[in-house]
Amino acid sequence: MNEGWFLTELIYRIHNKNESDVYQFDKQMKMIKASSEREAYQFSLVLASKELDLRNDDEAFAQWEFIGIGLFQTIDEPREVKGYGTFQYAMSTAQDARQHMITLRERLESLQMQIALSA
C-alpha cells in the first residue's frame, strides 16, 4: 500500500494535583505520513506520549494527560504546515468537562474498533 497522509487531532487535559476543578484542554493538530490507518493511529499515540514527556515534570502540581483523538482522517494533498498550533479551550463546569471526556473516550473506542475491523 502506498503511503498516505493523515490529519489527527490529539487532545490533552491538565490535571492539578491539588484541585479537582480544572477544566483546561489543549488540542494539537498533527499531520502523519503512514501506510495505513492502523499505522497512523499507532503513530498518533506515540506522538501523544512524547508530548506528555515534554509537558510533564514530576515535581509540578499540574500534570497533563492524553484524553483522546478528535479528528482522524486522510488528507489527499497536504499543504506544508509550519509548526502545529495548540488550541486551548476550557469547559465552564465540572459536568461539562466530564461529559467532554466521556465523549472523547467513546470516540477513541469507536476509532479503535474501526481500525481493528479494517485490519
Side-chain angles (χ1 to χ4, degrees):
M1 173 183 254
N2 292 337
E3 285 191 322
W5 288 95
F6 295 82
L7 179 64
T8 185
E9 177 184 56
L10 306 176
I11 303 174
Y12 307 88
R13 178 182 79 104
I14 194 161
H15 173 72
N16 188 323
K17 295 177 183 178
N18 295 331
E19 300 176 27
S20 60
D21 297 340
V22 177
Y23 317 126
Q24 176 69 43
F25 297 86
D26 282 6
K27 58 171 98 170
Q28 292 183 327
M29 304 301 285
K30 300 285 188 179
M31 296 266 282
I32 297 169
K33 192 169 190 177
S35 61
S36 67
E37 279 188 331
R38 170 180 239 124
E39 185 178 77
Y41 173 77
Q42 290 171 336
F43 192 57
S44 296
L45 297 180
V46 169
L47 288 175
S49 178
K50 287 181 179 182
E51 180 67 23
L52 290 178
D53 289 344
L54 293 173
R55 287 179 178 228
N56 287 328
D57 177 0
D58 291 336
E59 303 294 319
F61 288 107
Q63 295 286 307
W64 287 93
E65 64 179 322
F66 175 67
I67 59 167
I69 294 175
L71 182 69
F72 184 83
Q73 67 183 45
T74 58
I75 301 294
D76 291 333
E77 295 181 29
R79 296 182 181 184
E80 182 179 341
V81 177
K82 296 182 180 177
Y84 295 97
T86 297
F87 306 96
Q88 297 179 344
Y89 61 101
M91 298 289 148
S92 56
T93 67
Q95 178 61 28
D96 289 345
R98 276 191 295 277
Q99 186 58 47
H100 183 54
M101 290 176 58
I102 289 168
T103 301
L104 287 170
R105 288 185 179 130
E106 289 172 350
R107 165 75 177 124
L108 192 59
E109 289 173 8
S110 172
L111 186 57
Q112 289 169 340
M113 183 68 75
Q114 174 187 340
I115 290 169
L117 290 175
S118 68

